[in-house]
Amino acid sequence: MKPVCARWPDMDKWNLIIDVAGCENCNNCVLASKDELVGNDFPGYTAPHPAQGRGVIHIERTVRGAAPLVDAAYVPKMCNHCDDAPCVKAGEDGAVRKRDDGIVIIDPVKAKGRRDLVDACPYGAIVWNDPLQLPQSWFFDAHLLDTGAGAPRCVGVCPTQAIEAVKLGDALMAQRVKTEGLRALQPELGTRPRVYYKNLHRADHGFIAGSVAATVGGRLECLEGADVALLRAGAQLATTVTDVFGDFKFDALPLHSGAYLVRVSHPDHGAIERPASVGADSVVLHDVELEAITQP
Ligand code: SF4
Ligand code: SF4
């Protein structure tokens, strides 16, 4: 890796930041990509993409929890423009190249017939164009950026501004990653992606949630304002307060992280403890019921 210094300045490169909490699964980004690429030839960048089949941007849905506390998250996925890309290594004869601005391009001429490149990507981001016998990926709309566009089309069509394209030096981008808690997909692969996500825990972590009720005037009612603490091995990890529906949630817990204890208390209704174990999915505690404390 080049050092950052006056001789080799930290040149600006493209990165994409996607907020999972902002994605509403409208598929505008998917359609804009298809609109741009299907049937259109951009020599040096891509051959026409097919109208049918999965596009080079797709949305993956994750559903966590159980009724009534269900959480659905949508993660837009595309080529990550990895800095240490297996596809670039597999296509080092010129079939795949990494530009100085970080963008990875599959050459529409040199990659012809290279089905092996589809398998080279560990993210499944390369799709096979069968009629043209070509591997194709989302190339950051580099043909637009190179003619003055400020961002790829997916950014402009997103109604919730969930996608942001930023051109930054690696040091400044690393600062954003740290301060905003951004994460890339499967960092353990060591590919160093340039597509980052906010709130990715909505897709790859679990939560413990529940609904608290109490007997008030002989009736069982949702209990707003109860204090809820999350404990693990005797240590308090987090606290929250039930909302108007009596609901609480502790999110971003690692899957398979095992045993926790939830303690619920209210000055008028006493306290209760419930164990919860996070495995492959989130935990919803039903019927967390407090009793009315009889005043002397
Ligand atoms: S356009 Fe925005 S909100 Fe719609 S699917 Fe894409 S990222 Fe999600
Ligand atoms: S996501 Fe896949 S296709 Fe894109 S640069 Fe990384 S390895 Fe290559």
Side-chain angles (χ1 to χ4, degrees):
M1 183 191 297
K2 291 176 184 171
V4 177
C5 63
R7 199 162 150 221
W8 282 312
D10 188 14
M11 73 171 290
D12 289 348
K13 297 175 195 160
W14 286 103
N15 307 269
L16 204 68
I17 301 173
I18 300 171
D19 187 351
V20 174
C23 180
E24 301 290 347
N25 193 31
C26 72
N27 274 259
N28 275 7
C29 53
V30 175
L31 293 173
S33 173
K34 288 235 176 200
D35 178 58
E36 189 66 31
L37 302 173
V38 170
N40 292 329
D41 193 13
F42 298 108
Y45 299 96
T46 188
H49 288 220
Q52 307 299 327
R54 203 194 84 184
V56 290
I57 299 179
H58 71 286
I59 313 288
E60 283 187 11
R61 183 179 72 165
T62 302
V63 178
R64 305 182 300 160
L69 298 173
V70 177
D71 179 76
Y74 300 94
V75 181
K77 293 189 173 177
M78 64 283 285
C79 172
N80 290 293
H81 297 276
C82 311
D83 280 347
D84 198 357
C87 66
V88 174
K89 287 175 190 152
E92 61 189 355
D93 52 353
V96 189
R97 69 182 190 280
K98 177 85 168 167
R99 305 194 331 175
D100 289 344
D101 63 0
I103 293 175
V104 171
I105 302 233
I106 299 177
D107 190 283
V109 175
K110 294 177 183 165
K112 194 164 180 65
R114 293 290 305 274
R115 189 159 195 141
D116 62 298
L117 293 175
V118 174
D119 299 327
C121 174
Y123 297 98
I126 302 178
V127 295
W128 181 245
N129 182 330
D130 205 47
L132 296 183
Q133 293 290 293
L134 264 179
Q136 295 179 315
S137 66
W138 180 70
F139 54 98
F140 222 109
D141 290 352
H143 63 304
L144 300 178
L145 302 178
D146 289 350
T147 51
R153 284 195 57 185
C154 59
V155 172
V157 299
C158 178
T160 61
Q161 287 88 48
I163 312 179
E164 181 186 5
V166 290
K167 198 175 186 194
L168 278 180
D170 284 347
L172 284 176
M173 190 60 210
Q175 269 180 26
R176 279 200 70 170
V177 168
K178 191 173 176 188
T179 55
E180 297 175 30
L182 306 178
R183 291 199 289 130
L185 297 176
Q186 294 178 269
E188 68 277 10
L189 295 175
T191 57
R192 297 164 55 218
R194 305 194 73 83
V195 175
Y196 297 93
Y197 293 87
K198 285 181 189 171
N199 294 305
L200 191 56
H201 68 270
R202 294 270 308 271
D204 65 2
H205 280 59
F207 63 73
I208 295 174
S211 299
V212 180
T215 306
V216 179
R219 286 194 339 179
L220 195 61
E221 295 196 353
C222 300
L223 187 63
E224 182 182 7
D227 294 312
V228 190
L230 181 70
L231 299 95
R232 186 172 169 88
Q236 184 169 290
L237 301 181
T239 60
T240 187
V241 177
T242 56
D243 64 15
V244 68
F245 303 107
D247 294 343
F248 68 87
K249 180 191 270 187
F250 297 105
D251 207 342
L253 304 173
L255 294 174
H256 306 287
S257 53
Y260 296 83
L261 187 70
V262 174
R263 179 179 294 149
V264 183
S265 60
H266 188 279
D268 296 334
H269 299 279
I272 191 172
E273 291 184 344
R274 293 280 295 271
S277 180
V278 176
D281 196 2
S282 298
V283 177
V284 176
L285 299 173
H286 298 282
D287 306 324
V288 182
E289 294 177 17
L290 298 173
E291 297 296 328
I293 295 177
T294 306
Q295 300 297 332

